[in-house]
Amino acid sequence: MAQRGTKRGNARVQLVDTALDLFDRHGFHAVGIDKILSEAGLAKMTLYHHFDSKEALIVEALAKRDAAFREKFAAAIAGAAPGRAELFAMFDAIEAWTREPAFRGSLFDKAAAEYGEKDHPVKKAVLAHKAWLFGEVRRAAAASGAADPVKLAAELFLLVEGAVLAAAVTGDRSAARRAKAAAETLIAAAR
């Protein structure tokens, strides 16, 4: 009995991992269920055993990407002192990510572009990820001694988002470095 559950669990992981890769490379609407199943080597019934819909699969794929991003982000800023150093480490982390050979931009930005309705479960997953990231920037901005940490966080968040988008759209892998330079100016002015 335990083996059977393990196989089912592995099929679920295989579906999510395959979907993540395909969504990242081709977008959400362009990838159909049949393509995911074919790439994963699974039967259609397996999908519907684990997920009620393609959107439910997308939400779980985004949750997995969110967890991986949070872990990688936390590790990248772990050694930085709270406040300014941590804010600068965030930009370094973004630059390192945008320089990875497999970088294709933010899967959350892609999802937001394809699922615009604010009450859609996919859009809610995107908004939860962005809210977490903004919260991390706001927390570090507050520790930096900024007079208005919420304003500073909003400005820095725009720089982070812009750097990721610029790297994805134009291929400019130095966008995060330039965003960090702009952040230095904003942080200095916020004290």
Side-chain angles (χ1 to χ4, degrees), residues 9-86:
N10 288 341
R12 185 181 187 92
V13 169
Q14 182 66 23
L15 280 168
V16 172
D17 289 347
T18 302
L20 261 173
D21 179 59
L22 291 170
F23 294 149
D24 196 30
R25 287 190 288 136
H26 305 293
F28 296 92
H29 292 312
V31 175
I33 293 299
D34 291 337
K35 177 71 172 166
I36 295 167
L37 292 168
S38 173
E39 291 281 324
L42 298 169
K44 190 171 267 191
M45 210 147 165
T46 305
L47 173 77
Y48 293 110
H49 173 76
H50 293 285
F51 300 99
D52 293 337
S53 64
K54 179 181 173 184
E55 281 74 22
L57 173 60
I58 292 170
V59 169
E60 185 154 331
L62 289 173
K64 185 169 188 170
R65 178 61 55 89
D66 177 64
F69 185 89
R70 288 178 191 221
E71 184 178 313
K72 197 169 189 177
F73 193 78
I77 65 172
R84 290 173 44 111
E86 194 174 25

Side-chain angles (χ1 to χ4, degrees), residues 72-93 136 139-140 143-144 180:
K72 197 169 189 177
F73 193 78
I77 65 172
R84 290 173 44 111
E86 194 174 25
L87 289 168
F88 296 142
M90 290 179 183
F91 284 94
D92 293 339
E136 288 297 295
R139 180 189 50 72
S144 75
K180 181 180 176 181

Side-chain angles (χ1 to χ4, degrees), residues 58-142:
I58 292 170
V59 169
E60 185 154 331
L62 289 173
K64 185 169 188 170
R65 178 61 55 89
D66 177 64
F69 185 89
R70 288 178 191 221
E71 184 178 313
K72 197 169 189 177
F73 193 78
I77 65 172
R84 290 173 44 111
E86 194 174 25
L87 289 168
F88 296 142
M90 290 179 183
F91 284 94
D92 293 339
I94 296 299
E95 182 177 7
W97 173 42
T98 61
R99 289 186 180 277
E100 290 176 3
F103 175 77
R104 292 186 187 93
S106 168
L107 191 61
F108 297 94
D109 292 347
K110 293 174 188 179
E114 292 191 44
Y115 293 90
E117 308 84 32
K118 71 177 182 173
D119 291 330
H120 193 284
V122 172
K123 183 65 175 266
K124 286 179 179 181
V126 170
L127 292 173
H129 172 78
K130 297 295 185 176
W132 168 81
L133 183 56
F134 179 77
E136 288 297 295
V137 176
R138 185 180 61 216
R139 180 189 50 72

